Amino acid sequence: MIDGKTRTCGLIGNPVEHTLSPVIHNTLSEKLAQNLVYVPFHVKEGMVEDAVKGARALNILGCNVTVPYKSEVIPFLKELDPLAEKIGAVNTLVSVEGGYKGYNTDMPGLLRAMESDGVQITGEKVIILGAGGVARAVAVLLAQQKAEQILITNRTLQKAEQIAQEVNGLFQSKTVSAVTLEELCGLKDEGYLAIQATSVGLHPHDDEVIIGQDAFYHKIHTAYDLIFNPGETKFMKLAAKAGAKAYNGLKMLLYQGIIAYELWNDMAVSDEIAAEIYERLKKALKDE
Ligand code: NAP
């Protein structure tokens, strides 16, 4: 029931039509009996500052921010959480005195997803495939969580090299190294966790994969694909065939949303409710 006391949250992005975030937040409100509604806001190019000011003027409790505005929104915020500052991207705005505070819940979301799947980061040797916005954030998370070694590769190697340099600088370490795809296939070591952070294999290109060589998949014990549509990517299939555990990115999506909801409502969402929302998300994806 929407009434005079209903609070509003929303998603700022372009486009926003295919978002699953309303499923997460509106189901949370229903389960937790919160008088809160979540809606998508399609913000056109060049309108981010107006969108933030408008949200403030309309007393909107909080927003998620998605592509292409996760960095562009930062100058218009009152405060910035230190992790979001390190990552250089904000996906959640929380109303504070005089404006919004920006957080990045994508990476804490990935961490919580991995914990729930029993996947460790601390002390692990990790490979990141890709060097886009999310891959950079993953490199920061892995360094923060004290992965033993982080190898990052990308079609455009220069971008991987830049991330390695920046993240090593941020953490005053030499943990991150950029490598070519060929170098990955020739790794002497085994026992890597591989995080797939490119858009290769995203529906409708379900048959595409960033790395096809079997040799690579024998070096990894776990494949974590940040793509969630399709539910089982070719990357996951090749990893499973080689005997590795394989996970998709749907739980990351789930937990980035849950953490945002917790920030807006100053509450903790139980594992039981999280599991129910996860089932709703899977159903929404199937129905798409
Ligand atoms: P992005 O900044 O556009 O980066 C795209 C990455 O994919 C780059 O490394 C790019 O390489 C690589 N790539 C694209 N097409 C390629 C091709 N044909 N061959 C080789 N490499 C290719 O994207 P992003 O925002 O980081 O997102 C990356 C992925 O994360 C997306 O698939 C998205 O679905 C997923 N994601 C998941 C969640 C979640 O909650 N689970 C949240 C956000 C994003 P170049 O640098 O060489 O172009």
Side-chain angles (χ1 to χ4, degrees), residues 128-132 135-136 152-155 160 163 195-198 210:
I128 305 172
L129 300 157
R136 190 188 180 283
I152 180 164
T153 192
N154 194 41
R155 174 177 61 179
I163 291 176
I195 301 178
Q196 202 300 109
T198 76
I210 185 71

Side-chain angles (χ1 to χ4, degrees), residues 23-24 30 68 77 103 175 197 209 215 238 241 256 277:
V23 175
I24 301 175
E30 177 195 315
L77 304 177
Y103 290 85
T175 320
V209 68
L238 291 177
K241 197 173 134 214
Q256 64 72 32
I277 311 295

Side-chain angles (χ1 to χ4, degrees), residues 18-41:
H18 296 290
T19 179
L20 287 171
S21 290
V23 175
I24 301 175
H25 298 289
N26 291 322
T27 312
L28 278 169
S29 290
E30 177 195 315
K31 299 271 169 208
L32 297 164
Q34 292 290 312
N35 190 355
L36 189 160
V37 68
Y38 183 98
V39 286
F41 298 121

